[in-house]
Amino acid sequence: MAKPEFHIFVCGQHRPEGHPRGSCGAKGADRLFDAFAQVLIQNNLNNRVALTRTGCIGPCQAGANVLIYPGSQMYSWVENEDAVAIVKSMLAGEIFADKATPAELW
């Protein structure tokens, strides 16, 4: 793989049901990772964008969380249908404000 221009990290943390912090895994992170993978494949972006499933990147209460570099931009409460808009914004050098993590959370 060539050096990517962007790196998308999707939190895939799983914690037991009832854990006080919750987890992105319980909020659909596995399907969200697949949604991002499909967007990258459909738009032939695999050589420009790296996609990685991670452990906890916080804030757990706002999952599922996605972190994008460069720019250190975090998105929270991300759902499968947001993947297209987030990738589109990333490529345009913009922030998808609808899902940007509030400063008080991160």
Side-chain angles (χ1 to χ4, degrees), residues 1-8 40 45-52:
M1 178 177 173
K3 181 179 177 181
E5 296 172 50
F6 304 96
H7 202 138
I8 301 172
L40 298 181
L45 293 170
N46 288 323
N47 288 329
R48 293 183 61 196
V49 182
L51 177 63
T52 303

Side-chain angles (χ1 to χ4, degrees), residues 3-106:
K3 181 179 177 181
E5 296 172 50
F6 304 96
H7 202 138
I8 301 172
F9 297 92
V10 178
C11 179
Q13 179 69 46
H14 285 270
R15 292 192 179 96
E17 189 174 327
H19 190 282
R21 289 181 66 192
S23 71
C24 290
K27 296 174 183 167
D30 293 334
R31 290 184 311 279
L32 180 60
F33 181 88
D34 293 342
F36 273 99
Q38 287 303 308
V39 170
L40 298 181
I41 291 166
Q42 291 167 357
N43 291 282
N44 197 28
L45 293 170
N46 288 323
N47 288 329
R48 293 183 61 196
V49 182
L51 177 63
T52 303
R53 186 184 329 259
T54 70
C56 186
I57 56 176
C60 303
Q61 72 276 24
N65 294 300
V66 173
L67 180 59
I68 297 179
Y69 284 99
S72 187
Q73 179 59 52
M74 185 178 288
Y75 296 99
S76 296
W77 299 285
V78 181
E79 299 175 33
N80 298 353
E81 57 271 13
D82 299 320
V84 171
I86 290 172
V87 169
K88 202 176 206 182
S89 296
M90 174 190 75
L91 294 171
E94 300 169 351
I95 295 171
F96 181 56
D98 290 359
K99 296 293 179 160
T101 305
E104 63 271 10
L105 292 182
W106 190 66

